[in-house]
Amino acid sequence: MRQITDTILMVRPVGFRMNEQTAVNNYFQTKLEGDDINEIATQEFDIFVEKLRSVGVNVVVVDDVPEDDTPDSIFPNNWVSFHENGQVALFPMFAENRRKERRLEYFAQLEEAGFKITDIVDYTIAEEDDVFLEGTGSLILDRVNQKAYCAISPRADEELLIEFCEDFEFTPVIFNSYQTVGDKRLPIYHTNVMMCIADEFAVICLDTIDDKKERKNVVKHLKMDGKEIISITEEQMHEFAGNMLQVQGAEGKKYLVMSARAHRSLTEEQVERIEKHCEILSSEIQTIETCGGGSARCMMAEVFLPKA
């Protein structure tokens, strides 16, 4: 099993804006005024893609369609995950206008690019019962050690998480993760804003796991699997420092991908600890982060499918 891949699926935006339906429990979102939000987001997207390609990452870019009015389609990792055995998982989405993002024609483009899909495991019927599990936004997968870390939230149902783990042979590591909003501690909407697992290390905001036993259990699992734990503060998490993804470029070189905003928030010591393992690749995606409430990791759906 591989923890990182050299192939990423990304969706170019066509109607990007702040999604009112997700803002009810995504406290990272802020509305920006102006008619050129999608145009600016598309420019940020294209520059980001070019940076990935320039270091040898294979980026499969697919185009959204304006008719569906899918403001968050730029974040495909929430509705799909791709696995080494050829399986694809389709996930149930909290916001109704995000469900149209699941476009199976994207799979045909991956097959045309030489990848093999053997089976689709579809969990989307859970939407009928208002049960959700938003892909690798909710699930932080340690694919080598076959563990799925998940912070329970309105977008991450514990029973459905366990069902996924049984189907894909992962061990669930379940906890609750909170952020301070005003004077309240509220659930973080996606695990991947507070945690990233790379091949040899993990970046995590342990301060968001308020329950000491749960925090201790997460640390125990990471240490058991030999991960160096690089802690970030809650303030850094709000700069999207937890929303990172390790990828592989040309000649097997590894990169930790993040936004420029996340990169700027890191201390010298944190950067040094990361760069012991791999190079940092960052890109300016301020408009996407501000309106979308997601960052670099959310924009990349990792493709682990076997070659046909």
Side-chain angles (χ1 to χ4, degrees), residues 2-278:
R2 295 174 289 148
Q3 180 60 26
I4 61 175
T5 179
D6 62 358
T7 302
I8 301 294
L9 177 74
M10 296 180 70
V11 181
R12 180 179 280 111
V14 293
F16 180 79
R17 64 175 194 279
M18 192 187 95
N19 186 351
E20 300 79 7
Q21 292 186 24
T22 57
V24 295
N25 56 24
N26 178 345
Y27 309 111
F28 292 79
Q29 287 175 260
T30 305
K31 189 168 186 177
L32 292 177
E33 300 298 334
D35 299 327
D36 56 352
I37 297 298
N38 185 75
E39 183 182 338
I40 297 169
T42 303
Q43 290 171 358
E44 292 177 350
F45 175 93
D46 289 339
I47 291 168
F48 184 23
V49 169
E50 185 50 42
K51 284 192 175 184
L52 288 166
R53 287 175 170 166
S54 72
V55 298
V57 179
N58 177 25
V59 186
V60 179
V61 175
V62 295
D63 291 306
D64 191 14
V65 292
E67 306 89 78
D68 282 346
D69 186 27
T70 46
D72 280 335
S73 61
I74 198 170
F75 304 132
N77 81 309
N78 299 148
W79 63 265
V80 66
S81 64
F82 302 101
H83 300 266
E84 281 195 62
N85 61 1
Q87 286 187 308
V88 175
L90 291 180
F91 294 97
M93 308 286 283
F94 171 83
E96 285 188 30
N97 66 359
R98 293 210 62 189
R99 298 170 192 175
K100 294 177 183 177
E101 294 174 27
R102 297 186 296 249
R103 299 177 60 80
L104 301 191
E105 56 264 42
Y106 296 161
F107 299 166
Q109 288 179 250
L110 286 172
E111 288 174 325
E112 286 170 17
F115 294 97
K116 183 180 179 182
I117 294 173
T118 58
D119 184 32
I120 296 177
V121 184
D122 189 347
Y123 299 102
T124 60
I125 195 169
E127 289 167 350
E128 296 178 8
D129 299 316
D130 290 329
V131 169
F132 313 108
L133 185 67
E134 294 196 335
T136 53
S138 299
L139 301 163
I140 307 300
L141 300 179
D142 183 338
R143 293 173 185 258
V144 174
N145 297 294
Q146 291 179 274
K147 292 179 181 176
Y149 293 80
C150 183
I152 299 306
S153 77
R155 306 199 199 181
D157 178 80
E158 185 170 340
E159 287 186 17
L160 192 55
L161 159 67
I162 291 168
E163 183 181 338
F164 168 86
C165 288
E166 289 173 350
D167 290 343
F168 284 86
E169 299 181 349
F170 282 88
T171 298
V173 182
I174 301 168
F175 55 96
N176 291 276
S177 183
Y178 300 93
Q179 66 189 117
T180 300
V181 181
D183 59 354
K184 296 179 180 176
R185 292 290 277 171
L186 298 176
I188 289 174
Y189 80 107
H190 277 160
T191 319
N192 77 358
V193 296
M194 55 75 64
M195 183 179 191
C196 156
I197 289 186
D199 58 349
E200 297 175 334
F201 64 97
V203 178
I204 182 169
C205 185
L206 291 168
D207 292 346
T208 64
I209 307 175
D210 292 354
D211 186 286
K212 290 181 181 178
K213 286 184 180 176
E214 291 182 349
R215 191 187 317 152
K216 190 175 180 180
N217 186 52
V218 170
V219 169
K220 180 191 79 174
H221 277 279
L222 292 172
K223 286 185 173 178
M224 184 192 310
D225 297 326
K227 304 292 185 191
E228 179 181 353
I229 297 173
I230 301 172
S231 293
I232 57 171
T233 65
E234 192 169 331
E235 186 179 11
Q236 288 175 314
M237 181 195 73
H238 280 280
E239 298 298 310
F240 293 103
N243 197 246
M244 304 165 166
L245 180 68
Q246 191 181 36
V247 299
Q248 184 174 303
E251 299 176 356
K253 189 170 180 180
K254 295 177 282 191
Y255 299 87
L256 188 64
V257 182
M258 65 188 75
S259 71
R261 176 176 169 184
H263 196 173
R264 286 191 294 269
S265 79
L266 298 176
T267 65
E268 281 186 29
E269 184 200 4
Q270 289 167 329
V271 169
E272 285 173 10
R273 292 179 68 190
I274 290 167
E275 289 182 338
K276 279 192 313 185
H277 301 283
C278 63

